[in-house]
């Protein structure tokens, strides 16, 4: 799986990037003006690997019209351009024989020939140079779980609610997605009416960054708790929530948070920590009592069971229900059947990032 780390470039090497930046700026401007000059021979003022990387990043991107806050990329090239040496890496095209200190948080996977490929991007923020290094790392070995935690993703209230049936602990994570998205829609609508397209694009990018930041925080808290307490994560399967014919399609498109993005962040963070992730069919999870498993329709965010009198927050009750639908058997999550609206689930490791985290079918 892919991993990226960010490091600050020391002052002893930052001057090399300062001297390279003017040539990069003028070259990128020419690339965007004349997209036919897609070869390093047209940019002799730059090292060949830098010009080729800029062509791939900017010139071949048809959506890119202008470039501000330039990034200097160095593509991975079988350890010919970026080579591990000592306690860091040597990047010949930028730093010559100088070694940039770099400590990998996770080990780097070598290819069949034993070479560790790594790519880099250098950018300036607040007058300081930073480097983002991307490479492939193996998933951590999965541990044997001692229990389950349920994660309920929400459109109203908090971004997600996590519940641990073993301890009774409940965490409401994130802010109100519906209120935030309503504010964003109002701002975008006003800008569209005024024809301020450039400002509209700027606001949309800011919204995207805010969404990603909040989703990272929520997913990190969930995975950290699961890894610390040795839990398996049971999360609702919302793959078909926007499918044609879905009963809640219009509602979710109007007010939902980044459900899929949150799942992907949980999957890759779980893979790095050895946490198993299971997707569970979400049908009636908000209407099933987590104590007696009887059906009760909640009133807003309040859940009061008509059968056993259990009172709880609607999202917390749903999170407990999701966790109880898949219980660890013998310390390992396996095929299991829940209660009235139980599901058959196939657990699989979170290291498989782009695929479904389980198969679910309603039990009769």
């Amino acid at each position: 799986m892919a991993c990226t780390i960010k490091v600050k470039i020391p002052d002893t090497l930052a001057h090399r990037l300062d001297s390279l930046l003017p040539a990069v700026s003028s070259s990128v401007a020419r690339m965007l003006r004349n997209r036919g000059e897609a070869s390093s021979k047209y940019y002799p003022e730059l090292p060949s690997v830098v010009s080729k990387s800029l062509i791939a990043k900017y010139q071949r991107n048809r959506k890119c019209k202008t470039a501000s806050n330039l990034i200097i990329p160095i593509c991975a090239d079988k350890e010919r351009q970026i080579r591990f040496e000592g306690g860091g890496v040597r990047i010949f095209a930028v730093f010559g024989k100088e070694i940039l200190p770099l400590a990998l948080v996770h080990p780097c996977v070598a290819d069949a020939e034993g070479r560790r490929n790594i790519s880099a991007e250098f950018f300036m923020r607040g007058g300081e140079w930073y480097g983002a290094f991307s490479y492939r790392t193996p998933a951590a070995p999965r541990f044997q779980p001692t229990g389950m935690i349920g994660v309920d993703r929400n459109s109203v209230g908090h971004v997600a609610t996590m519940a641990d049936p073993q301890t009774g602990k409940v965490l409401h994570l994130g802010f109100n997605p519906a209120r935030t998205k309503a504010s964003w829609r109002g701002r975008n609508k006003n800008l569209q009416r005024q024809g301020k397209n450039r400002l509209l694009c700027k606001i949309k990018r800011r919204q995207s960054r805010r969404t990603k930041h909040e989703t990272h925080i929520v997913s990190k808290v969930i995975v950290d708790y699961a890894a610390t307490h040795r839990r398996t994560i049971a999360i609702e399967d919302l793959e078909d929530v926007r499918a044609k014919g879905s009963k809640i399609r219009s509602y979710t498109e109007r007010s939902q948070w980044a459900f899929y993005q949150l799942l992907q962040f949980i999957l890759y963070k779980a893979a790095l920590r050895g946490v198993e992730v299971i997707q569970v069919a979400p049908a009636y999870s908000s209407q099933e009592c987590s104590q007696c498993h009887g059906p009760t329709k909640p009133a807003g965010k309040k859940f009061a069971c008509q059968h056993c009198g259990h009172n709880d927050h609607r999202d917390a009750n749903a999170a407990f229900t999701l966790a109880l639908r898949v219980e660890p058997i013998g310390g390992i999550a396996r095929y299991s059947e829940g209660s009235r609206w139980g599901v058959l689930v196939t657990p699989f490791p979170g290291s498989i990032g782009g695929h479904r985290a389980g198969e679910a079918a309603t039990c009769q």
Side-chain angles (χ1 to χ4, degrees):
M1 61 175 299
C3 179
T4 302
I5 60 173
K6 185 177 75 171
V7 298
K8 183 180 180 298
I9 306 301
D11 296 336
T12 55
L13 299 177
H15 69 278
R16 302 285 186 93
L17 295 170
D18 289 331
S19 61
L20 186 61
L21 185 59
V24 169
S25 179
S26 61
S27 298
V28 170
R30 286 162 49 201
M31 289 177 185
L32 298 180
R33 286 197 306 267
N34 189 353
R35 297 182 184 269
E37 297 179 351
S39 175
S40 59
K41 67 180 182 181
Y42 295 106
Y43 312 99
E45 66 273 19
L46 293 176
S48 177
V49 64
V50 175
S51 58
K52 289 179 180 179
S53 301
L54 289 172
I55 289 171
K57 185 173 185 64
Y58 291 106
Q59 192 174 37
R60 292 177 183 171
N61 183 4
R62 295 295 175 179
K63 294 183 179 179
C64 182
K65 305 300 180 181
T66 60
S68 58
N69 297 325
L70 284 173
I71 293 174
I72 303 176
I74 306 291
C75 296
D77 191 14
K78 297 182 179 180
E79 232 178 333
R80 286 194 289 267
Q81 301 297 334
I82 305 178
R83 183 178 301 171
F84 288 93
E85 284 193 22
V89 292
R90 177 177 290 179
I91 307 176
F92 302 96
V94 180
F95 304 124
K97 295 183 179 181
E98 297 289 336
I99 295 178
L100 173 65
L102 179 65
L104 299 182
V105 179
H106 304 283
C108 182
V109 176
D111 59 15
E113 300 178 2
R115 293 173 298 201
R116 296 180 293 174
N117 294 326
I118 185 170
S119 61
E121 289 187 345
F122 299 99
F123 53 92
M124 182 178 287
R125 295 292 183 270
E128 301 285 348
W129 280 101
Y130 294 88
F133 294 87
S134 300
Y135 58 95
R136 296 192 61 82
T137 184
R142 285 181 293 160
F143 55 76
Q144 290 190 354
T146 59
M148 282 278 179
I149 58 172
V151 177
D152 179 57
R153 290 173 283 178
N154 308 312
S155 293
V156 179
H158 297 271
V159 173
T161 300
M162 188 204 75
D164 186 349
Q166 289 74 217
T167 62
K169 187 177 183 63
V170 176
L171 295 177
H172 298 280
L173 306 171
F175 54 88
N176 191 333
R179 184 181 304 169
T180 304
K181 283 215 163 187
S183 175
W184 290 351
R185 283 195 301 269
R187 297 174 65 184
N188 293 340
K189 186 176 181 180
N190 293 333
L191 291 174
Q192 286 176 345
R193 287 178 177 177
Q194 298 172 17
K196 298 182 179 180
N197 295 327
R198 293 186 62 181
L199 183 57
L200 181 64
C201 293
K202 183 178 180 180
I203 294 296
K204 286 184 176 180
R205 289 194 297 268
R206 183 182 300 171
Q207 294 168 2
S208 177
R209 293 193 299 270
R210 173 74 184 281
T211 300
K212 189 174 182 179
H213 175 71
E214 293 292 336
T215 307
H216 267 302
I217 294 175
V218 172
S219 60
K220 186 177 186 302
V221 172
I222 293 172
V223 175
D224 283 349
Y225 184 92
T228 302
H229 297 83
R230 305 185 69 81
R231 303 285 193 258
T232 292
I233 299 174
I235 190 169
E236 51 194 342
D237 182 3
L238 299 178
E239 182 174 346
D240 298 327
V241 72
R242 286 187 173 182
K244 188 176 181 180
S246 173
K247 295 181 180 179
I248 60 174
R249 179 180 179 181
S250 61
Y251 172 75
T252 56
E253 287 182 345
R254 183 175 64 253
S255 62
Q256 78 165 9
W257 191 247
F259 286 162
Y260 182 76
Q261 186 183 76
L262 177 58
L263 173 63
Q264 294 305 305
F265 287 0
I266 290 176
L267 284 176
Y268 93 78
K269 286 180 171 64
L272 293 174
R273 303 290 296 276
V275 178
E276 189 173 34
V277 178
I278 300 176
Q279 283 191 265
V280 185
Y284 304 105
S285 60
S286 296
Q287 300 181 27
E288 178 183 345
C289 178
S290 59
Q291 299 296 320
C292 69
H293 307 291
T296 299
K297 287 189 176 181
K301 287 295 183 180
K302 295 181 180 180
F303 183 90
C305 182
Q306 300 175 355
H307 304 277
C308 66
H310 172 64
N311 287 280
D312 204 346
H313 190 280
R314 172 179 176 169
D315 300 334
N317 177 77
F320 279 121
T321 299
L322 292 171
L324 294 173
R325 284 181 177 181
V326 189
E327 296 181 358
I329 303 175
I332 303 177
R334 303 184 298 183
Y335 289 99
S336 62
E337 182 174 340
S339 55
R340 178 170 181 175
W341 290 293
V343 293
L344 295 177
V345 298
T346 305
F348 81 70
S351 58
I352 307 178
H355 302 283
R356 294 180 63 187
E359 298 176 356
T362 304
C363 298
Q364 299 297 329

